[in-house]
């Protein structure tokens, strides 16, 4: 094929619409990191296994490494940078991961946070089974998962008490 | 790795999509991309053109009739699991969908996409086979219906022509006297199944089997359909029993060995899953 064509891509990330010029093959993960400088989204395996690159698209967690940026124009994309409030106050899942030692090296953490965030926004009182099921698609090589499960449980607890 | 360059098209209708598919050399349909994009990231696939049908409203329908469930080509696995109607009319589809990868993959991956991908390890290919479902296609020269048994030709090979796309998949629902069950073994939850089986058993008014079919995944180049009619019709599954059913299934299965497991162990697992899914139909 000849010179690679560029596409004008509109991405609505964390409530802000931005324009990116990139080829069609630009993965959403790379557009977020490279074009938009949002390096909170991590890239691990690039074939949908590790879960590090998980972001929310219209509220649902998806693999940004298995999504072309050009294919999610005008969708509501939320990344780990969009979790904390403007004044720096942590989101309940961030607060809970900190409190429960739900991370060590932190590489997988953005993916876990986004996955947990989606779970808790759908259901702020998940069962153990629902928590395990929700995070089953994310790999962590440090924690052994127990603290992550505790963190998700705690995040749900914080969310419930915030609502009261 | 990163995919190789391609041109992206976002047609506004199925007509436009099939026109593109016919006009362009080396074009592929992109729906959820959860099988295609990993292949592209590994450069095992490098299509020159991708035609994105994920936004086509005319492909987003789920139609549930008493006799059949029809699922449009842009419907994701998660949307199937969100349809309470499917849950009540064809619970087997829900049971199988819960075994498809992880929720995060199901949020973008489509049911019809996994049929077009024709992976013999796929749960949807096995369910379509055991229920004797079909897909409807579209192309510039017109659409056709492809029966499940004619759709899968080999690993990742379907009988779809290059200029043809799947519009929807139709799964017959089960009658009041039929029971179904899906069982599989995967190394980790959400991984590809090492072996699995999905069974559909129909009973007569005396609670004796009048039809028993099982489809196996991950044991051959295409979903393997085995009829247990000769063994089970006129009997109760529990009366025929584990040994006879296990031995029969083992004799019918001829799986391959690979890095995960030997051929013998896979045959054993598949026969066990076959028994387990049949036993769950009692």
């Amino acid at each position: 094929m000849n010179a690679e064509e560029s596409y004008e891509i509109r991405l609505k990330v964390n409530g802000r619409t931005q324009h990116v010029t990139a080829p069609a093959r630009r993965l959403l993960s790379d557009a977020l990191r490279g074009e938009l400088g949002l390096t909170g989204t991590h890239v691990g395996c690039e074939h949908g296994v590790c879960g590090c690159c998980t972001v929310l698209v219209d509220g649902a967690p998806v693999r940004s490494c298995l999504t072309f940026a050009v294919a999610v124009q005008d969708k509501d994309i939320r990344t780990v940078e969009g979790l904390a409030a403007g004044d720096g106050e942590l989101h309940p899942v961030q607060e809970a991961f900190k409190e429960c030692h739900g991370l060590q090296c932190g590489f997988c953490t953005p993916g876990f946070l986004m996955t947990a965030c989606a779970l808790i926004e759908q259901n702020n009182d998940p069962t153990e089974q629902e928590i395990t099921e929700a995070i089953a698609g994310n790999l962590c090589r440090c924690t052994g998962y127990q603290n992550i499960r505790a963190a998700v449980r705690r995040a749900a607890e914080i969310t419930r008490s915030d609502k009261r | 790795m990163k995919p190789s360059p391609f041109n992206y098209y976002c047609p506004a209708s199925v007509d436009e999509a099939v026109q593109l598919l016919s006009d362009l050399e080396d074009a592929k349909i992109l729906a959820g991309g959860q099988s295609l994009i990993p292949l592209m990231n590994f450069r095992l696939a490098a299509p020159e053109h991708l035609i994105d049908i994920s936004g086509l409203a005319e492909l987003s329908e789920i139609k549930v009739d008493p006799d059949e469930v029809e699922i449009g080509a842009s419907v994701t696995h998660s949307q199937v699991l969100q349809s309470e109607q499917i849950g009540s009319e064809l619970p087997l589809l829900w049971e199988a969908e819960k075994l498809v990868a992880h929720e995060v993959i199901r949020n973008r991956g489509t049911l019809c996409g996994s049929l077009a991908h024709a992976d013999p390890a796929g749960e949807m290919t096995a369910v379509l086979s055991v229920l004797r479902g079909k897909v409807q296609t579209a192309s510039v020269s017109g659409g056709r219906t492809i029966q499940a048994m004619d759709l899968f030709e080999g690993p990742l090979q379907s009988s779809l022509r290059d200029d043809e796309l799947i519009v929807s998949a139709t799964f017959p629902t089960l009658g009041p006297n039929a029971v179904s069950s899906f069982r599989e073994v995967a190394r980790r939850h959400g991984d590809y199944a090492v072996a699995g089986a999905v069974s559909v058993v129909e009973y007569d008014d005396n609670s004796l089997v009048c039809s028993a079919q099982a489809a196996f995944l991950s044991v051959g180049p295409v979903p393997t359909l085995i009829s247990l009619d000769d063994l089970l019709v006129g009997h109760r599954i529990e009366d025929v029993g584990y040994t006879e059913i296990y031995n029969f299934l083992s004799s019918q299965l001829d799986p391959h060995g690979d890095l995960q497991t030997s051929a013998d162990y896979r045959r054993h697992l598949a026969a066990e899953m076959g028994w387990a899914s049949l036993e769950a139909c009692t």
Side-chain angles (χ1 to χ4, degrees):
Chain A
M1 102 190 272
N2 300 323
E4 192 169 1
E5 197 183 327
S6 278
Y7 293 73
E8 295 298 321
I9 303 169
R10 273 181 325 279
L11 288 179
K12 191 174 161 204
V13 184
N14 301 326
R16 210 175 129 210
T17 300
Q18 286 169 281
H19 294 264
V20 165
T21 305
R25 62 171 160 154
R26 183 70 80 243
L27 298 167
L28 177 60
S29 47
D30 292 332
L32 291 169
R33 292 176 56 84
E35 268 80 13
L36 297 179
L38 296 170
T39 53
T41 299
H42 290 174
V43 173
C45 70
E46 289 195 327
H47 61 287
V49 173
C50 76
C52 293
C53 70
T54 304
V55 301
L56 306 190
V57 174
D58 289 342
V62 306
R63 299 281 196 252
S64 60
C65 79
L66 296 188
T67 305
F68 293 118
V70 70
V72 287
Q73 301 198 69
D74 301 320
K75 305 259 188 209
D76 235 319
I77 298 162
R78 202 161 160 211
T79 69
V80 70
E81 288 89 348
L83 284 183
D87 60 3
E89 190 198 338
L90 295 180
H91 185 278
V93 295
Q94 292 171 308
E95 191 61 49
F97 270 67
K98 184 178 154 204
E99 225 178 89
C100 301
H101 304 285
L103 65 149
Q104 285 181 34
C105 85
F107 192 85
C108 67
T109 310
F112 272 102
L113 292 177
M114 299 319 290
T115 307
C117 170
L119 170 69
I120 283 159
E121 284 180 358
Q122 282 164 24
N123 171 11
N124 69 16
D125 195 8
T127 62
E128 280 301 306
Q129 180 62 33
E130 285 165 339
I131 292 174
T132 307
E133 188 75 35
I135 62 169
N138 293 64
L139 298 180
C140 170
R141 299 284 81 145
C142 307
T143 62
Y145 301 104
Q146 300 310 316
N147 288 357
I148 294 179
R149 292 186 358 171
V152 179
R153 217 177 302 131
R154 176 73 187 125
E157 223 172 73
I158 298 172
T159 308
R160 291 198 301 275
S161 67
D162 281 355
K163 289 242 161 83
R164 274 203 288 273
Chain B
M1 278 170 56
K2 313 293 178 191
S4 57
F6 61 88
N7 293 315
Y8 174 84
Y9 305 84
C10 198
S13 65
V14 171
D15 285 346
E16 210 180 298
V18 293
Q19 192 61 53
L20 285 163
L21 205 48
S22 159
D23 292 346
L24 299 166
E25 190 79 14
D26 192 22
K28 275 270 176 205
I29 294 292
L30 172 69
Q34 302 302 283
S35 299
L36 179 60
I37 300 177
L39 289 178
M40 291 176 68
N41 284 358
F42 279 122
R43 302 218 176 180
L44 294 168
E48 291 217 13
H49 308 280
L50 280 192
I51 303 163
D52 186 350
I53 60 162
S54 63
L56 292 182
E58 57 189 304
L59 298 179
S60 66
E61 252 190 285
I62 294 177
K63 275 186 246 163
V64 181
D65 292 330
D67 295 340
E68 58 185 33
V69 171
E70 186 181 352
I71 292 167
S74 69
V75 174
T76 63
H77 297 293
S78 290
Q79 286 166 340
V80 171
L81 282 170
Q82 281 153 14
S83 164
E84 296 289 340
Q85 261 191 310
I86 292 179
S88 60
E89 293 295 327
L90 190 53
L92 175 60
L93 201 50
W94 262 22
E95 190 184 359
E97 280 285 16
K98 287 176 188 163
L99 298 168
V100 174
H102 302 287
E103 188 196 340
V104 184
I105 301 294
R106 296 196 293 262
N107 282 339
R108 278 193 78 73
T110 63
L111 186 153
C112 288
S114 68
L115 296 175
H117 186 55
D119 191 332
E123 286 80 7
M124 293 302 116
T125 54
V127 172
L128 194 78
S129 298
V130 79
L131 293 175
R132 296 190 158 78
K134 59 196 178 190
V135 297
Q136 288 74 38
T137 73
S139 76
V140 283
S141 52
R144 60 174 175 149
T145 299
I146 307 177
Q147 301 296 329
M149 64 170 75
D150 301 321
L151 179 62
F152 308 113
E153 296 193 326
L156 312 191
Q157 291 165 338
S158 77
S159 57
L160 289 169
R161 296 191 312 263
D162 288 346
D163 69 342
E164 197 172 32
L165 67 84
I166 292 181
V167 174
S168 67
T170 305
F171 297 83
T173 55
L174 296 175
N177 295 326
V179 192
S180 61
S181 172
F182 202 122
R183 291 284 186 276
E184 70 174 37
V185 176
R187 277 294 179 79
R188 286 160 305 205
H189 173 69
D191 275 8
Y192 289 107
V194 180
V198 49
S199 296
V200 174
V201 181
E202 278 182 69
Y203 292 93
D204 63 18
D205 294 339
N206 300 317
S207 303
L208 300 174
V209 173
C210 58
S211 161
Q213 312 296 322
F216 292 79
L217 52 155
S218 299
V219 295
V222 294
T224 305
L225 197 57
I226 295 179
S227 169
L228 291 101
D229 284 353
D230 288 349
L231 194 66
L232 295 177
V233 166
H235 303 285
R236 288 187 172 81
I237 290 172
E238 57 272 37
D239 292 344
V240 176
Y242 166 83
T243 308
E244 211 170 322
I245 291 175
Y246 174 92
N247 288 341
F248 172 74
L249 292 174
S250 298
S251 72
Q252 300 287 309
L253 292 161
D254 185 22
H256 57 285
D258 59 17
L259 284 175
Q260 282 204 74
T261 178
S262 67
D264 280 347
Y265 183 56
R266 178 169 273 133
R267 182 183 300 109
H268 165 69
L269 268 187
E272 283 285 348
M273 291 302 102
W275 160 253
S277 67
L278 286 162
E279 194 189 22
C281 290
T282 56

